[in-house]
Amino acid sequence: PWSGVAQGAYKFLLSDSVAPSIVDFDPMNGGSGLSPVDGAVTIQFNEAVTWSSGPTPKEATLGRGEVDTTGRVTTVQSEKIPLAPPQAFVLDEQWRLRIELAGKVTAGKLYTLSLPEGAVEDFAGNRFPGLLPHTYTFRARTVHASNLGTLDDAGDGGGVTTLMIIVGVSSV
């Protein structure tokens, strides 16, 4: 009788021919929430990705848009952002791409972020098809100052209240 194939003697490889795709954005598409001071955009893919191999460095494009009276968005200013540290990172778990935008956005303004074809690829070498301008838009949030009170809410003019506890030990 045939005893079968020994464990580990037969191997096959399934080929992956599907390019990575975006499944989520932070801040969300059309939303606000990016801090103008220390903000970053995080893009989550449907599978693990890595930087694409290739001779030319890749760049994202951050565009600032304005909406006209018909509701159409026009890019009025754009900036290239290198897709390499310290401006961009494939995060440790390799499913997310983080692009640092600290100091590049203004509170309340509308932005779009686009990525070129092949900005990242999956581990089978399938290149990301790209993210076109105006496909992903967001606003930098407006930061409001708030008064959380003072140390003296009693209104007697004293700024600090001191509580002193004296513990004494006596032996007889």
Side-chain angles (χ1 to χ4, degrees), residues 111-160:
Y111 291 92
T112 182
L113 185 74
S114 58
L115 298 173
E117 178 184 353
V120 294
E121 61 187 32
D122 65 16
F123 285 90
N126 299 307
R127 294 164 48 98
F128 172 65
L131 178 64
L132 297 174
H134 305 285
T135 302
Y136 171 51
T137 60
F138 60 92
R139 287 188 185 275
R141 77 170 173 253
T142 303
V143 179
H144 296 285
S146 62
N147 182 356
L148 299 177
T150 64
L151 290 176
D152 174 37
D153 284 333
D156 64 1
V160 176

Side-chain angles (χ1 to χ4, degrees), residues 2 19 37-38 41 47-48 51 64 69 75-76 94 98 111 113 124 133 150 160-161 163 171:
W2 185 62
V37 178
D38 60 358
V41 165
E47 62 181 319
W51 295 118
R64 185 173 66 79
T69 56
T75 301
V76 295
Q94 298 175 321
R98 180 178 171 97
Y111 291 92
L113 185 74
T150 64
V160 176
T161 302
L163 174 62
S171 62

Side-chain angles (χ1 to χ4, degrees), residues 27-47:
M28 64 188 261
N29 191 12
S32 62
L34 181 77
S35 167
V37 178
D38 60 358
V41 165
T42 302
I43 299 170
Q44 184 173 341
F45 292 90
N46 66 331
E47 62 181 319

Side-chain angles (χ1 to χ4, degrees), residues 8-69:
Y10 182 75
K11 295 181 183 178
F12 62 94
L13 178 65
L14 297 175
S15 66
D16 172 6
S17 60
V18 180
S21 61
I22 294 173
V23 295
D24 198 16
F25 299 98
D26 184 23
M28 64 188 261
N29 191 12
S32 62
L34 181 77
S35 167
V37 178
D38 60 358
V41 165
T42 302
I43 299 170
Q44 184 173 341
F45 292 90
N46 66 331
E47 62 181 319
V49 295
T50 186
W51 295 118
S52 287
S53 54
T56 57
K58 305 287 189 252
E59 295 177 318
T61 302
L62 176 67
R64 185 173 66 79
E66 297 206 354
V67 182
D68 66 17
T69 56

Side-chain angles (χ1 to χ4, degrees), residues 162-169:
T162 304
L163 174 62
M164 191 181 272
I165 299 174
I166 301 173
V167 177
V169 178

